[in-house]
């Protein structure tokens, strides 16, 4: 599986959009493990993994509604389409969101301290 490093979830009126950056792929399947991880499958049946999903988004993903996918290339939205969220609670991924969020916070704190000097 290929890890997706740049993806942003947007939520409005209990609807979800996922913007992915500079992948140049169209996805045909969105599978959520019910915790921390999404598996996206592209048209060539290659699998991509997106981890560390915030709790507010998790709740909505569990409902299994459609979500809007936005493909962003060079800071321009190139394509918008919808995918059905499939929930598969049998996937065995670890939920390490808390640990990862602490790491990100520490990195941001260091960057801000460096800029303040």
């Amino acid at each position: 599986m290929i890890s997706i490093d740049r993806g942003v979830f947007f939520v409005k009126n209990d609807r979800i959009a996922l913007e992915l950056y500079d992948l140049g792929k169209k996805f045909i399947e969105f599978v959520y493990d019910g915790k921390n991880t999404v598996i996206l499958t592209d048209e060539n049946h290659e699998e991509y993994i997106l981890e560390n999903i915030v709790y507010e988004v998790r709740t909505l993903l569990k409902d299994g509604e459609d979500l809007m996918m936005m493909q962003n290339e060079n800071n321009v939205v190139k394509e918008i389409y919808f995918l059905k969220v499939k929930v598969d609670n049998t996937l065995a991924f670890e939920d390490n969101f808390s640990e990862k969020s602490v790491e990100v916070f520490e990195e941001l704190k260091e960057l801000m301290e460096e800029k303040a000097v």
Side-chain angles (χ1 to χ4, degrees):
M1 268 184 240
I2 301 165
S3 181
I4 297 174
D5 295 327
R6 294 185 63 208
V8 177
F9 283 99
F10 298 93
V11 176
K12 184 172 183 175
N13 298 330
D14 292 335
R15 301 294 298 175
I16 304 172
L18 172 57
E19 186 169 12
L20 298 174
Y21 298 87
D22 302 319
L23 286 176
K25 300 280 183 178
K26 183 167 184 173
F27 295 98
I28 59 171
E29 187 173 53
F30 184 106
V31 180
Y32 174 54
D33 75 342
K35 300 178 294 253
N36 186 52
T37 306
V38 166
I39 304 294
L40 290 160
T41 305
D42 72 10
E43 295 173 306
N44 297 319
H45 301 284
E46 222 172 356
E47 291 184 334
Y48 292 74
I49 187 169
L50 179 63
E51 298 177 289
N52 301 317
I53 300 165
V54 297
Y55 292 105
E56 295 82 2
V57 172
R58 293 177 184 201
T59 303
L60 296 172
L61 288 175
K62 287 180 184 177
D63 292 340
E65 300 285 331
D66 290 346
L67 86 149
M68 178 189 292
M69 297 288 297
M70 297 182 293
Q71 299 292 350
N72 185 317
E73 293 179 32
N74 299 319
N75 295 318
V76 175
V77 175
K78 292 290 186 181
E79 186 171 11
I80 296 174
Y81 56 97
F82 292 87
L83 286 177
K84 174 81 174 154
V85 175
K86 296 177 185 176
V87 180
D88 184 347
N89 294 311
T90 65
L91 296 174
F93 293 102
E94 288 186 37
D95 187 351
N96 58 1
F97 178 78
S98 296
E99 295 85 9
K100 288 291 185 183
S101 61
V102 168
E103 287 176 26
V104 169
F105 174 77
E106 291 298 327
E107 288 175 17
L108 287 172
K109 183 179 167 189
E110 287 176 21
L111 287 171
M112 293 177 82
E113 288 172 350
E114 287 174 9
K115 287 188 177 196
V117 174

